[in-house]
Amino acid sequence: MTVYSAPSRELLFTLQSIGRLGDLSGFELYEHATPETVEQVIEEAGRLARDVIAPTNPIGDKNGAKLENGRVLLPKEFETAWKAYTEGGWPGVPFEAEFGGQSLPWTVTVAVSELWSSSNMAFGLVMLLNQGATEAIHAHGTEEQKAIYLEKMIAGEWTGTMNLTEPQAGSDLGEIKSRATPGEDGTWRIKGQKIFITFGEHDLAKNIIHLVLAKTPGAPAGSKGISCFIVPKFLINEDGSLGKRNDVRCVSLEHKIGIHGSPTCVMAFGDNDDCVGYMIGKENRGLQAMFTMMNNARLSVGVQGLGLAERAYQQALAFAQERRQSRAVGAPPGPSAIIEHPDVRRMLFTMRSTIDAMRALVCRNALAIDLAKVAPTEEERTNERALADLLTPITKSWCTDRGTDLTSLNIQIHGGMGFIEETGAAQHWRDSRIAPIYEGTNGIQAIDLVTRKVPLQGGDTVRGLIGEIEAVIPALNAAGHADLAAIAAALAPAAAGFAKATDWVLANVATNTDDVLATASTYLEMAGNVVGGWLLARQALAAVEKLKEDGADRKFFGARIASARYFAEQRLPVAAALLGPVTTGNAILADLPGLLVA
Amino acid sequence: MTVYSAPSRELLFTLQSIGRLGDLSGFELYEHATPETVEQVIEEAGRLARDVIAPTNPIGDKNGAKLENGRVLLPKEFETAWKAYTEGGWPGVPFEAEFGGQSLPWTVTVAVSELWSSSNMAFGLVMLLNQGATEAIHAHGTEEQKAIYLEKMIAGEWTGTMNLTEPQAGSDLGEIKSRATPGEDGTWRIKGQKIFITFGEHDLAKNIIHLVLAKTPGAPAGSKGISCFIVPKFLINEDGSLGKRNDVRCVSLEHKIGIHGSPTCVMAFGDNDDCVGYMIGKENRGLQAMFTMMNNARLSVGVQGLGLAERAYQQALAFAQERRQSRAVGAPPGPSAIIEHPDVRRMLFTMRSTIDAMRALVCRNALAIDLAKVAPTEEERTNERALADLLTPITKSWCTDRGTDLTSLNIQIHGGMGFIEETGAAQHWRDSRIAPIYEGTNGIQAIDLVTRKVPLQGGDTVRGLIGEIEAVIPALNAAGHADLAAIAAALAPAAAGFAKATDWVLANVATNTDDVLATASTYLEMAGNVVGGWLLARQALAAVEKLKEDGADRKFFGARIASARYFAEQRLPVAAALLGPVTTGNAILADLPGLLVA
């Protein structure tokens, strides 16, 4: 098993070239996020990820989470890692200082999250769910609720969960059956069963704060009749100490393809009719409370795809330098290191360049979230909010699909050894497979993209993005640099195709909705590639500038330019060619049941 | 878990429209392969696959193979299945009647193999390895060796294995260290360790016939100094009865991502210096003996990708009809079956149309093997032999990569349930991941394609294939049928792009070899899509003809036309667009180690 090493320079370059690292600390909210501080944060997080968390990853995969007498047992190494993580103040990265947070921008939060995902994605889920629940309480809780929960959750003393799914209600939350009935004291009694609850039970934290969707008596049918409740594992006394055990328990764990270190729980609420819940937000507006959090969680799931791909890439690169097999063309006699073989290089550089694009996309998405808060004008804040909304389904789906692709390439580079579990390549691929499914399947993301996000601001959000993409082409051509010109040559038709596909989506989404839905996933794939290629092009421009400085690291910046060109030449022609498939619509698929189903 | 059902009609239609089913029985060698007999064979194999073999698949996955005191224990259900399989005479399908075989053509053999791969790929491996070893002895054994081994192996009383890989010698067999020293009696003593030996030890058969690559004293270095030996688990007495146990044993089993029911053995030969082997073929010509068999084995591995994809498709279709979630556009109130949602249909029809293309490709490849034996003229036999050689790496790689893609789509259609092992969707995806690796990694196939197969007959083989592809376009346009015209419109630029990419490969492979190697996998992907699209177009033409008959099954043949059109419109534009990526060559990758490696 190779050692994981945090890609700090890559992260910092991405923050500099895409994430407006220097600028953000000019805004009061992020005044602590100076470049020096951010660099330190990433270095420290990288050390924790490498030295403490990464060693727990194969252990978690092998031993998994176990349920014994209602208790979920995790590998003891997870406890040590959780202690180090919480003592370092890491759960507080994106939260305000008022509640003990570090007030760092999302651009930095996602950079740090990548390190957790790379070092142990399964373990990283307890962080992710806690962050999401904390955000939801922060956004929708009463002052009293915030006072009770936020500080403890941000300290990692307690952790949060999200309880949405039921067997009949997955993508369609309108179908949930869990019920909440009012108690006499203003609290609620919750009854129902939830499935797929990540870290629904564990002993890392002293308390677990469940956010639970349920229906109140007489609530409207469907998604407009769902309320959200805080259900603590242990009730909290007036003095803040822990009181009696609430009537909620984990009744079983799922046996999954991957993320074995993350307990996926079936949770029973109110089996003894004594499960106490506290409504958060307004009655029947529970989905809104969840969606606040879900957008950022979707971005974070995209980050998981990136983190696993990076981990797999490091492993593949190390193996390819080590393993000797067959003599390469022009090499000295005897077997060459397999990195000398062009087809292995193809796989490695496909990983590398795609990862660079994923990281840039994640960063731009996070920047939009930050600027939506701090940008100086209302117009800019509105536009960045819309851009964040537009990019989020793309980041979630494109990065998680690529996560599965690239972890599979790592297996392929390992050859027969890749299929053997002990090598460690397999785990990342198995782990990766959940990310295209949870937090809204990638199909749901695509539907969200074409029906809600592309039409935002009457289409001006996506048109503005396309305008930015097109604007980089003359800049690339003006530089008098062969690599940049080659990138421009590939980007121009891809951007034009994306613009046409977008026009088609906008023209048809209201009237020929099924046509647009039928190719929504293909449109999303096109969008991910074009936006990724554009961001890499910007980074290549930045790298060319950097190389003009004395003593510039030719290897590092040269790799950035090569990465952008490789991505442009290999992927963008395919992205451009998706215009045809996107615009074919639904005609054949409409006949499908008639053709296939008896 | 859904019930597997053999796609008999699809197989027969493929044999009729692509496999020259009626014609082949006109040749003496295949005189028994009348359409009626073939239909019966497929029906019977389908029953065995569905009723006996398919139920063993999840059992094999869950319980796996276990090593206890040198014995490999398999689930007892495997014994029952093996008994039914051998009693039915199935191991003999492709072999001559002289040794108890059924003398059926390869087009039928691969159709039947698909059923075994769908119903239990791991179990199917013992069949596959036995078939390969039988072929090798058939082609290279002495008359005495054939007399001793073939009948028993074709009866499935004994099974065969292939012992090639060693830890330092995977793709590069020239590096093997196993040694063979001559004994006094004309036999040899074998010493060495082999890894990744499929069904290297088990109790299904009374004896195991290992084919083992080893080096004789003074053998030339590298792949030109490798000999092949028959090493029986039990030596065989003069009267054909089993004698003493040979000095060969299984020392451990690998812990793999998938195919848990297939024991992957580390085999020790000659630990006590008493491992008896018999040379097969000429000294130092062992690789040639293996390659005879390997070509057909590569086709059979392509069939595994197809078989798993078909199994996954059936599961996905059943789930999509059953599972209700969210109301589809225009559907009655309440959740619709998810097959009503266009994005789910997209996934299902992507599976369906790609499977149709895979099956057609497998069939055409097998037909070339058959015609190479029986075609009336020497020229035709030579050309079909070359075509079989050309298509084999494409079938192996393209079908196995698609196998992994499509089994992954099955998981995606299942949503969260797909990630849970008990659902059964996961197993197919895990199982599928070995196929792009073994029998020569897909990268090795791509190298074989561009360096040896495309240049066959000075490029005339591939040019002949392209000519056949181009020839279907006017036929499609002449039919006055909108679907066929749409297929032609997509196929024409894809064929043109493939022709140009092929010219580039031919022009550069000798002089700029690294450029061609750098994009060989992309060229192979292009080839697979274009050849697949062409064969589907031919099937669509055949279906249009069939629909002119009275009482034709409109649904069945309509689905064939829709499948071809969907594949053409969704995949062929992307295939055409690969011309750019293919012809970019190696420039960036040549710099890769300088850029990436410290």
Side-chain angles (χ1 to χ4, degrees):
Chain A
M1 204 78 68
T2 54
V3 174
Y4 167 68
S5 161
S8 310
R9 277 198 78 181
E10 295 292 342
L11 285 164
L12 285 168
F13 177 69
T14 306
L15 284 164
Q16 285 154 2
S17 57
I18 305 291
R20 292 178 60 176
L21 176 58
D23 301 350
L24 281 181
S25 55
F27 301 109
E28 193 186 340
L29 182 62
Y30 298 136
E31 62 184 355
H32 305 298
T34 60
E36 297 70 33
T37 302
V38 170
E39 190 171 340
Q40 277 179 3
V41 164
I42 287 176
E43 286 299 330
E44 275 186 47
R47 268 193 295 275
L48 180 65
R50 180 191 64 200
D51 298 338
V52 180
I53 300 177
T56 67
N57 199 26
I59 299 168
D61 185 57
K62 195 171 175 200
N63 301 347
K66 293 191 176 66
L67 181 67
E68 283 182 18
N69 303 319
R71 280 184 62 195
V72 168
L73 305 179
L74 296 170
K76 64 178 186 328
E77 292 82 356
F78 278 31
E79 290 169 31
T80 318
W82 182 252
K83 195 157 174 279
Y85 168 79
T86 52
E87 285 178 359
W90 296 106
V93 166
F95 297 108
E96 290 163 33
E98 182 189 350
F99 302 104
Q102 300 194 23
S103 278
L104 287 167
W106 265 85
T107 42
V108 178
T109 301
V110 292
V112 170
S113 293
E114 180 195 319
L115 307 177
W116 313 143
S117 290
S118 288
S119 54
N120 188 336
M121 172 174 159
F123 179 68
L125 279 165
V126 65
M127 309 172 181
L128 197 62
L129 271 293
N130 186 45
Q131 185 172 296
T134 306
E135 276 180 72
I137 294 174
H138 190 279
H140 299 277
T142 62
E143 289 309 311
E144 193 192 347
Q145 287 169 338
K146 289 191 204 180
I148 295 173
Y149 298 105
L150 288 184
E151 208 172 315
K152 301 274 192 190
M153 291 170 78
I154 287 171
E157 198 174 323
W158 302 348
T159 64
T161 73
M162 314 300 294
N163 288 252
L164 288 71
T165 307
E166 300 178 11
Q168 78 293 346
S171 298
D172 186 3
L173 291 170
E175 294 298 311
I176 65 166
K177 291 179 180 164
S178 292
R179 290 286 177 269
T181 48
E184 287 169 13
D185 54 354
T187 67
W188 297 75
R189 293 296 170 278
I190 312 295
K191 199 170 173 71
Q193 197 177 68
K194 296 285 180 177
I195 63 170
F196 299 159
I197 307 310
T198 300
F199 277 91
E201 175 56 40
H202 63 89
D203 285 347
L204 294 176
K206 294 187 184 119
N207 203 2
I208 300 176
I209 310 305
H210 302 288
L211 297 190
V212 184
L213 294 185
K215 298 200 151 205
T216 55
S223 59
K224 287 177 181 149
I226 296 174
S227 302
C228 185
F229 299 86
I230 297 175
V231 179
K233 174 179 169 184
F234 291 100
L235 299 181
I236 293 130
N237 297 324
E238 294 228 340
D239 63 358
S241 64
L242 297 185
K244 79 164 186 170
R245 184 74 156 81
N246 207 351
D247 179 16
V248 48
R249 64 198 175 92
C250 171
V251 293
S252 70
L253 296 183
E254 304 293 353
H255 175 218
K256 309 186 297 296
I257 303 177
I259 54 166
H260 296 161
S262 167
T264 302
C265 304
V266 177
M267 300 296 297
F269 294 86
D271 272 1
N272 302 313
D273 297 321
D274 194 25
C275 177
V276 179
Y278 310 93
M279 189 179 284
I280 174 168
K282 296 202 177 117
E283 192 164 353
N284 297 329
R285 300 294 298 273
L287 272 189
Q288 283 79 344
M290 284 291 177
F291 277 126
T292 302
M293 168 285 305
M294 219 181 263
N295 235 4
N296 291 351
R298 287 174 173 185
L299 169 56
S300 300
V301 170
V303 173
Q304 293 182 324
L306 165 62
L308 286 178
E310 169 69 29
R311 180 74 190 88
Y313 169 68
Q314 292 187 15
Q315 213 170 32
L317 180 60
F319 183 83
Q321 292 172 258
E322 186 78 21
R323 172 75 170 169
R324 306 185 81 80
Q325 226 30 205
S326 299
R327 182 179 176 180
V329 175
S336 307
I338 63 169
I339 195 173
E340 299 298 326
H341 296 297
D343 189 64
V344 175
R345 291 188 192 183
R346 170 191 65 83
M347 292 190 274
L348 283 171
F349 217 52
T350 298
M351 296 180 82
R352 165 64 193 252
S353 62
T354 310
I355 288 165
D356 289 341
M358 292 158 88
R359 190 175 284 129
L361 172 57
V362 159
C363 186
R364 184 63 189 88
N365 194 341
L367 178 67
I369 296 172
D370 290 333
L371 291 175
K373 288 186 204 162
V374 300
T377 69
E378 173 71 28
E379 188 192 353
E380 204 182 338
R381 290 194 297 274
T382 303
N383 290 344
E384 291 290 333
R385 179 69 259 160
L387 182 63
D389 289 343
L390 174 70
L391 290 179
T392 297
I394 301 172
T395 305
K396 195 277 182 182
S397 294
W398 193 74
C399 291
T400 58
D401 280 340
R402 297 297 77 75
T404 303
D405 287 355
L406 300 187
T407 52
S408 185
L409 274 183
N410 178 33
I411 290 176
Q412 193 67 20
I413 289 170
H414 279 77
M417 294 306 298
F419 198 66
I420 307 299
E421 284 288 355
E422 285 77 0
T423 309
Q427 182 192 347
H428 308 308
W429 183 64
R430 291 189 286 94
D431 286 354
S432 80
R433 193 62 192 81
I434 187 59
I437 296 173
Y438 62 17
E439 285 303 323
T441 65
N442 285 2
I444 298 279
Q445 305 298 326
I447 293 169
D448 178 52
L449 177 64
V450 295
T451 61
R452 281 185 290 265
K453 303 306 176 59
V454 167
L456 276 174
Q457 301 180 310
D460 284 348
T461 312
V462 67
R463 286 200 198 95
L465 174 65
I466 292 168
E468 281 196 64
I469 295 170
E470 287 168 341
V472 85
I473 295 166
L476 291 163
N477 282 322
H481 188 290
D483 289 318
L484 298 185
I487 294 167
L491 185 57
F498 181 46
K500 282 185 199 153
T502 301
D503 287 344
W504 180 84
V505 169
L506 285 165
N508 288 284
V509 65
T511 47
N512 305 306
T513 310
D514 269 350
D515 283 310
V516 172
L517 292 177
T519 58
S521 289
T522 309
Y523 175 75
L524 189 151
E525 190 188 337
M526 187 185 200
N529 278 296
V530 175
V531 173
W534 160 61
L535 292 169
L536 288 186
R538 283 180 48 193
Q539 292 195 300
L541 273 168
V544 166
E545 286 306 305
K546 283 280 186 187
L547 280 170
K548 292 175 183 166
E549 294 172 9
D550 281 345
D553 184 337
R554 307 203 74 76
K555 189 165 151 177
F556 179 82
F557 294 111
R560 302 302 319 203
I561 297 166
S563 178
R565 180 170 175 171
Y566 191 76
F567 188 97
E569 290 187 331
Q570 294 297 319
R571 280 196 187 266
L572 291 183
V574 173
L578 291 178
L579 175 62
V582 166
T583 55
T584 53
N586 191 46
I588 293 174
L589 298 182
D591 287 338
L592 184 67
L595 292 169
L596 297 187
V597 179
Chain B
M1 204 78 69
T2 54
V3 174
Y4 167 69
S5 162
S8 310
R9 275 197 80 183
E10 294 292 342
L11 284 165
L12 286 167
F13 177 69
T14 306
L15 283 164
Q16 285 154 2
S17 57
I18 304 291
R20 293 179 58 176
L21 176 58
D23 301 349
L24 280 181
S25 55
F27 301 108
E28 195 187 338
L29 182 62
Y30 299 135
E31 63 183 354
H32 304 299
T34 61
E36 298 71 31
T37 302
V38 170
E39 190 170 339
Q40 277 179 5
V41 164
I42 288 175
E43 287 299 329
E44 275 187 47
R47 269 194 294 276
L48 180 65
R50 181 192 63 202
D51 298 338
V52 180
I53 299 178
T56 68
N57 198 27
I59 298 168
D61 184 57
K62 196 172 174 199
N63 300 347
K66 294 192 176 64
L67 182 67
E68 283 183 18
N69 303 319
R71 279 184 63 196
V72 168
L73 306 179
L74 296 169
K76 65 178 187 327
E77 291 81 357
F78 278 31
E79 291 168 30
T80 317
W82 183 251
K83 193 157 176 279
Y85 169 79
T86 52
E87 285 178 359
W90 296 107
V93 166
F95 296 108
E96 290 163 33
E98 182 188 351
F99 302 104
Q102 301 194 23
S103 278
L104 287 168
W106 265 85
T107 41
V108 178
T109 301
V110 293
V112 170
S113 293
E114 180 194 321
L115 307 176
W116 312 145
S117 291
S118 287
S119 54
N120 188 336
M121 170 173 160
F123 179 68
L125 279 165
V126 66
M127 310 172 180
L128 198 62
L129 272 292
N130 186 46
Q131 185 172 297
T134 306
E135 276 180 72
I137 294 174
H138 191 278
H140 298 278
T142 61
E143 289 308 312
E144 192 193 348
Q145 287 169 338
K146 290 191 203 179
I148 295 173
Y149 298 104
L150 288 184
E151 208 171 316
K152 300 276 192 187
M153 291 170 77
I154 287 171
E157 199 173 322
W158 302 348
T159 63
T161 72
M162 314 301 294
N163 288 252
L164 287 72
T165 307
E166 301 178 9
Q168 79 293 346
S171 298
D172 185 4
L173 291 171
E175 295 296 311
I176 65 166
K177 291 180 180 164
S178 292
R179 291 286 176 270
T181 47
E184 288 169 11
D185 53 355
T187 67
W188 296 75
R189 293 297 169 277
I190 312 295
K191 198 169 174 71
Q193 197 176 69
K194 296 286 181 179
I195 63 171
F196 299 159
I197 308 309
T198 300
F199 277 91
E201 174 57 40
H202 62 89
D203 285 347
L204 295 176
K206 294 188 185 119
N207 202 3
I208 299 175
I209 311 306
H210 303 288
L211 296 190
V212 183
L213 294 185
K215 298 200 151 204
T216 55
S223 59
K224 288 177 180 147
I226 296 174
S227 302
C228 185
F229 299 86
I230 298 176
V231 179
K233 174 178 168 184
F234 290 101
L235 299 181
I236 294 131
N237 297 323
E238 293 227 343
D239 64 357
S241 64
L242 296 186
K244 77 164 186 170
R245 184 73 155 83
N246 207 351
D247 180 16
V248 48
R249 65 198 175 92
C250 170
V251 293
S252 69
L253 295 183
E254 304 293 352
H255 176 218
K256 309 185 298 294
I257 302 177
I259 54 167
H260 295 161
S262 168
T264 301
C265 304
V266 177
M267 299 297 297
F269 294 87
D271 272 1
N272 302 313
D273 298 322
D274 194 26
C275 177
V276 178
Y278 311 93
M279 189 179 283
I280 174 168
K282 296 202 177 117
E283 192 165 353
N284 298 330
R285 301 294 298 273
L287 272 190
Q288 283 80 345
M290 284 292 176
F291 277 126
T292 303
M293 167 285 304
M294 220 182 263
N295 235 4
N296 291 351
R298 287 174 172 186
L299 169 56
S300 300
V301 171
V303 173
Q304 294 183 324
L306 165 62
L308 286 179
E310 169 69 28
R311 181 73 191 88
Y313 169 68
Q314 292 187 17
Q315 213 171 31
L317 180 61
F319 183 83
Q321 293 172 259
E322 187 79 21
R323 171 75 169 169
R324 306 185 80 81
Q325 220 42 198
S326 299
R327 182 178 176 181
V329 176
S336 307
I338 63 170
I339 195 173
E340 299 298 326
H341 296 296
D343 189 64
V344 175
R345 291 188 191 181
R346 171 190 66 83
M347 292 189 273
L348 283 170
F349 217 51
T350 299
M351 296 182 82
R352 165 64 192 251
S353 62
T354 309
I355 288 166
D356 289 342
M358 292 158 88
R359 191 175 284 127
L361 172 58
V362 159
C363 186
R364 184 62 188 89
N365 194 342
L367 178 66
I369 295 171
D370 291 333
L371 291 175
K373 287 186 205 163
V374 300
T377 70
E378 173 72 28
E379 187 191 354
E380 204 182 338
R381 290 194 296 276
T382 304
N383 290 345
E384 291 290 334
R385 178 70 260 158
L387 183 63
D389 289 344
L390 174 69
L391 290 178
T392 297
I394 301 172
T395 306
K396 194 278 182 182
S397 294
W398 193 74
C399 290
T400 58
D401 280 341
R402 297 297 77 73
T404 304
D405 288 354
L406 302 187
T407 53
S408 185
L409 274 183
N410 179 33
I411 291 177
Q412 193 66 20
I413 289 169
H414 279 76
M417 294 306 297
F419 198 66
I420 306 299
E421 285 288 355
E422 285 77 1
T423 310
Q427 182 192 347
H428 309 309
W429 184 64
R430 290 189 288 95
D431 286 353
S432 80
R433 193 61 192 81
I434 187 60
I437 295 173
Y438 63 16
E439 285 303 323
T441 64
N442 285 3
I444 298 279
Q445 306 297 325
I447 293 169
D448 178 51
L449 176 65
V450 295
T451 61
R452 282 185 289 264
K453 303 306 176 57
V454 167
L456 276 175
Q457 301 178 310
D460 284 349
T461 312
V462 66
R463 285 198 199 97
L465 174 65
I466 292 167
E468 281 196 65
I469 295 170
E470 287 167 342
V472 85
I473 295 165
L476 291 163
N477 283 322
H481 188 290
D483 289 317
L484 298 184
I487 294 168
L491 184 57
F498 181 45
K500 282 185 199 153
T502 302
D503 288 343
W504 180 84
V505 169
L506 285 165
N508 288 285
V509 66
T511 46
N512 305 305
T513 310
D514 270 350
D515 283 310
V516 173
L517 293 177
T519 58
S521 289
T522 310
Y523 175 76
L524 189 152
E525 190 188 339
M526 186 184 201
N529 279 296
V530 175
V531 173
W534 161 60
L535 293 169
L536 288 185
R538 283 180 48 195
Q539 293 194 300
L541 273 167
V544 166
E545 285 307 304
K546 284 279 185 187
L547 280 170
K548 292 175 183 166
E549 295 172 9
D550 281 345
D553 184 337
R554 306 203 74 76
K555 188 165 150 177
F556 180 82
F557 294 111
R560 303 302 318 204
I561 298 166
S563 178
R565 180 170 176 172
Y566 191 76
F567 187 96
E569 291 187 331
Q570 294 296 319
R571 279 195 187 267
L572 290 183
V574 172
L578 291 178
L579 175 61
V582 165
T583 54
T584 52
N586 191 47
I588 293 174
L589 297 181
D591 286 338
L592 183 67
L595 293 170
L596 296 186
V597 179

